[in-house]
Amino acid sequence: MPTLAIVGAQWGDEAKGKMVDVLGAEADVVIRYSGGNNAGHTVITGDKEFKFQLIPAGILHPGTTAVIASGMVVCPKGLLEELDRTRALKPDLGTLKISNAAHVVFPYHRMLDALEEEARGENKIGTTSRGIGPAYQDKVARLGIRMGELIVPEIFEHRLREVLAYKNRLLIMFGSEPLEFDSLYAEFSGYASRLKSLVCDTEILAQEAVEAGKRVLFEGAQGTFLDLDSGTYPYVTSSHPVAGGACLGTGIGPRAIQSVLGVCKAYTTRVGAGPFPTELHDDVGERIRQQGQEYGTVTGRSRRCGWLDTVVLRQSCRLNSLSGLVLTRLDVLSGIPELRAATAYTLGADTIGHMPSNTWEFARVQPVYESLPGWSESLRKARSLDDLPREARQYLQFVEDQSKTPIAIVSIGPDRDETIVVRPDLIWG
Ligand code: GDP
Ligand code: IMO
Ligand code: MG
């Protein structure tokens, strides 16, 4: 059963997109299991740059089936634009399928995302304003409209009438203008007719692929600590980026996942609000931001940057049952003379080695740092561990020791070939 889940081990943007593209070359099916177009997964191939938001990054391999699974929320307009954009860059793509159980994101979700953020005042989450939270709220409230309903005109009409009447009451309560049924119905019926042929029962597709022994890659979005349950609530997204989400969001059981790789930057970034113990507010943080071009793929916001936090990493290893780590962006640390990484926290008078699950407590921890020597050389030409400077190898060893998890792959640049596979045995289980 060669199956692999790729998850973000931190707060997102760990370079999952690059790794899904690289490892997707060996996959028959690539299934994205959570989130919506709040994600931005960058893939660089030669002179082309792809920014995937809803489409699984594995679609660049023509023989692959790329699935938008039931755990996702889909903005149809965004998806169609993304399809056009991607096809314009590369006409020969894999086959796209969309789950009939994936939920549809409507304009009222986007409007409510903005209105809810405004109402939070100083306690804003800093969402991507794509309507993701409100769409998942509807799913939980059993009000959501699914792709399988959108594509059947009479069912869609009935459902939209029911839901819009409710949503308009909410919009009016927030002081906003209600939406008009006819134009919304016409607009979304247009999207439905373009997407209809792609919508199917992807749970069966996933289950049969696993049973047939095909190589199935589960593509995570966001990151472990943006998970609704395991993340720094309420500064989280509204879905389940952790490896367990791959089961819930696709319709396969837990024993069907053979290997789980956690993608982790060699340092830490976070976009939006929420505690971040190792955040840097100094020249080093700015240097990482500039050297790593740490600006959001979706919103263009400047990413908050800080040192690696191995307390966070250890928790991520447990939450996701990680088989191995993919350490990315090691190249960005070149030229920083002294590197630091948190190995524990102090909380009041105590020293602790874990993340407190109360976010208000996590917000009070102070990192206990260990220093490591940096290196000055560029790493981007390295193609084996032996090509790396001794200090970089020492850094990798430190990460393995602290996380008690082997490093399977090291990424030293955005291109496909800027990748060092250290433990091929950990990849497909
Ligand atoms: P994702 O959301 O996890 O897929 O990550 P993003 O695409 O949002 O952000 C990762 C960024 O890092 C992208 O711009 C990638 O092209 C880039 N990238 C990927 N791997 C590396 C690497 O090893 N080194 C550097 N410098 N950039 C990388
Ligand atoms: P990828 O897949 C980084 C963050 C937002 C905000 C919080 C909630 O590219 O790693 P939402 O719009 O989801 O309700 O926002 O989650 N966030 C991400 N941060 N990478 C992402 O995706 C993210 N998706 C959501 O910045 O703090
Ligand atoms: Mg991203």
Side-chain angles (χ1 to χ4, degrees), residues 27-87:
D28 298 301
V29 185
V30 177
I31 312 183
R32 207 180 117 190
Y33 60 84
S34 71
N37 58 356
N38 48 349
H41 297 174
T42 315
V43 176
I44 295 178
T45 65
D47 59 349
K48 290 182 185 157
E49 185 176 44
F50 299 85
K51 289 188 184 293
F52 293 108
Q53 295 196 253
L54 287 160
I55 300 174
I59 200 157
L60 293 180
H61 304 290
T64 310
T65 301
V67 178
I68 292 176
S70 57
M72 290 186 65
V73 291
V74 178
C75 167
K77 182 169 185 264
L79 175 58
L80 286 163
E81 285 169 3
E82 191 178 328
L83 261 175
D84 291 344
R85 200 167 67 225
T86 310
R87 282 201 187 111

Side-chain angles (χ1 to χ4, degrees), residues 11 25 65 115 161 165 190 196 231 259 266 281 351 353-354 361 380 382:
W11 277 282
T65 301
L115 293 164
R161 276 196 199 283
K196 193 178 166 117
S259 180
H281 298 282
T351 300
H354 66 275
E361 270 185 311
R380 295 194 52 181

Side-chain angles (χ1 to χ4, degrees), residues 102-427:
H103 280 246
V104 183
V105 180
F106 287 95
Y108 49 76
H109 292 128
R110 258 183 194 251
M111 292 165 75
L112 288 165
D113 199 346
L115 293 164
E116 286 174 3
E117 276 285 78
E118 203 183 305
R120 286 183 191 112
E122 284 181 3
N123 301 319
K124 276 187 183 43
I125 292 168
T127 72
T128 58
S129 65
R130 296 295 186 274
I132 305 300
Y136 279 111
Q137 286 170 33
D138 277 4
K139 174 174 174 170
V140 175
R142 292 156 296 179
L143 259 183
I145 298 177
R146 310 208 294 185
M147 288 301 297
E149 296 173 308
L150 175 76
I151 58 169
V152 183
E154 58 281 14
I155 295 181
F156 176 46
E157 182 181 351
H158 171 73
R159 289 297 330 278
L160 188 64
R161 276 196 199 283
E162 170 204 347
V163 176
L164 191 61
Y166 180 87
K167 292 287 146 183
N168 275 341
R169 270 184 264 158
L170 264 183
L171 290 174
I172 291 165
M173 188 193 85
F174 273 111
S176 193
E177 285 293 309
L179 293 174
E180 208 247 317
F181 174 85
D182 288 342
S183 57
L184 194 60
Y185 179 74
E187 179 186 345
F188 276 71
S189 297
Y191 303 143
S193 61
R194 283 191 63 195
L195 292 171
K196 193 178 166 117
S197 63
L198 309 180
V199 178
C200 66
D201 186 342
T202 61
E203 291 202 344
I204 299 286
L205 190 158
Q207 290 158 359
E208 288 183 351
V210 170
E211 280 165 20
K214 292 192 174 162
R215 279 184 189 245
V216 183
L217 192 161
F218 299 95
E219 173 177 345
Q222 287 78 52
T224 297
F225 299 100
L226 290 171
D227 185 276
L228 186 55
D229 286 308
S230 302
T232 48
Y233 189 90
Y235 302 103
V236 292
T237 191
S238 303
S239 65
H240 294 289
V242 293
C247 296
L248 299 173
T250 66
I252 51 105
R255 287 193 298 130
I257 304 181
Q258 196 71 19
S259 180
V260 185
L261 293 181
V263 188
C264 170
K265 285 186 190 184
Y267 47 94
T268 312
T269 63
R270 178 164 200 172
V271 199
F276 177 0
T278 60
E279 183 170 10
L280 288 165
H281 298 282
D282 60 6
D283 291 352
V284 181
E286 192 50 39
R287 180 183 179 140
I288 292 175
R289 184 173 302 113
Q290 292 311 327
Q291 203 143 312
Q293 279 303 293
E294 291 291 2
Y295 298 95
T297 313
V298 177
T299 56
R301 286 180 292 179
S302 173
R303 292 177 184 148
R304 299 158 66 193
C305 299
W307 295 121
L308 182 70
D309 188 335
T310 65
V311 184
V312 162
L313 197 50
R314 278 196 294 276
Q315 175 71 344
S316 195
C317 293
R318 289 179 177 152
L319 284 167
N320 296 299
S321 307
L322 293 187
S323 321
L325 291 169
V326 178
L327 199 77
T328 64
R329 295 181 148 252
L330 189 63
D331 54 298
V332 173
L333 296 181
S334 289
I336 302 176
E338 183 201 349
L339 302 173
R340 301 177 96 194
T343 52
Y345 301 138
T346 57
L347 180 59
D350 299 326
T351 300
I352 55 173
H354 66 275
M355 291 171 74
S357 59
N358 274 321
T359 302
W360 58 266
E361 270 185 311
F362 184 55
R364 290 184 193 166
V365 302
Q366 294 296 324
V368 176
Y369 283 117
E370 197 160 308
S371 289
L372 292 112
W375 57 88
S376 53
E377 301 89 328
S378 164
L379 308 186
R380 295 194 52 181
K381 296 245 169 345
R383 292 297 174 267
S384 78
L385 290 187
D386 293 340
D387 297 336
L388 294 174
R390 184 168 49 86
E391 294 82 359
R393 290 201 308 268
Q394 201 176 324
Y395 194 78
L396 298 180
Q397 188 62 53
F398 168 83
V399 172
E400 287 197 333
D401 293 345
Q402 288 295 325
S403 63
K404 298 186 180 63
T405 305
I407 293 177
I409 299 175
V410 180
S411 173
I412 32 80
D415 278 335
R416 283 173 170 171
D417 62 350
E418 291 174 314
T419 308
I420 303 172
V421 178
V422 186
R423 291 280 307 271
D425 55 308
L426 296 176
I427 295 174

